[in-house]
Amino acid sequence: QVQLVESGGGLVQAGGSLRLSCAASGRTFRLYAMGWFRQAPGKEREFVAAISWIGGTTSYVDSVKGRFTVSRDNAKNTLYLQMNSLKPEDTAVYFCAADDDWGPLRVRPESYDYWGQGTQVIVSS
């Protein structure tokens, strides 16, 4: 089991940047693939980005490619999402999640085993 706590959300103008962090507990963080998801009001939770436990493989939804970068620091048990060139469409609650299964990176929320409580990101026009 692992506990996840997101931070770094806030209000930013379109074109600005934010870096989200996800602090994980326990010794086994490095053995989990990690993902970022987001959910806007009235919409389903959607995949944003994921990174393998080694850190050498990443995956992004098309809408954020070239703008967002997912990374991890296993020594600090921390996951990051650097978000640049933010758009109003990026407004959502952002969640980090952990997948304890070995294999290809997954994009379905139901594939992930542990979740943080989320951090709000609001991008104004």
Side-chain angles (χ1 to χ4, degrees):
Q1 295 184 333
V2 63
Q3 290 184 316
L4 307 172
V5 180
E6 303 95 336
S7 62
L11 176 65
V12 64
Q13 292 184 341
S17 299
L18 285 173
R19 188 178 76 163
L20 305 184
S21 298
C22 174
S25 65
R27 302 177 181 176
T28 59
F29 171 77
R30 68 180 182 88
L31 301 180
Y32 291 80
M34 301 293 295
W36 286 101
F37 294 78
R38 64 188 181 187
Q39 188 166 22
K43 303 186 70 175
E44 294 184 355
R45 191 167 299 186
E46 68 171 350
F47 170 79
V48 177
I51 186 168
S52 65
W53 71 269
I54 297 175
T57 302
T58 58
S59 181
Y60 300 90
V61 67
D62 287 345
S63 61
V64 308
K65 288 181 178 177
R67 300 190 297 120
F68 291 10
T69 302
V70 62
S71 62
R72 66 192 297 165
D73 186 339
N74 289 342
K76 296 181 178 180
N77 285 359
T78 303
L79 174 75
Y80 303 98
L81 184 67
Q82 179 66 47
M83 305 186 295
N84 298 326
S85 301
L86 283 163
K87 304 175 181 179
E89 307 93 273
D90 297 317
T91 296
V93 176
Y94 283 71
F95 300 87
C96 67
D99 180 4
D100 63 5
D101 294 322
W102 176 83
L105 295 176
R106 301 181 179 187
V107 301
R108 296 172 296 172
E110 57 267 29
S111 298
Y112 287 76
D113 304 287
Y114 307 102
W115 293 84
Q117 296 302 304
T119 185
Q120 177 73 62
V121 172
I122 300 175
V123 184
S124 62
S125 302

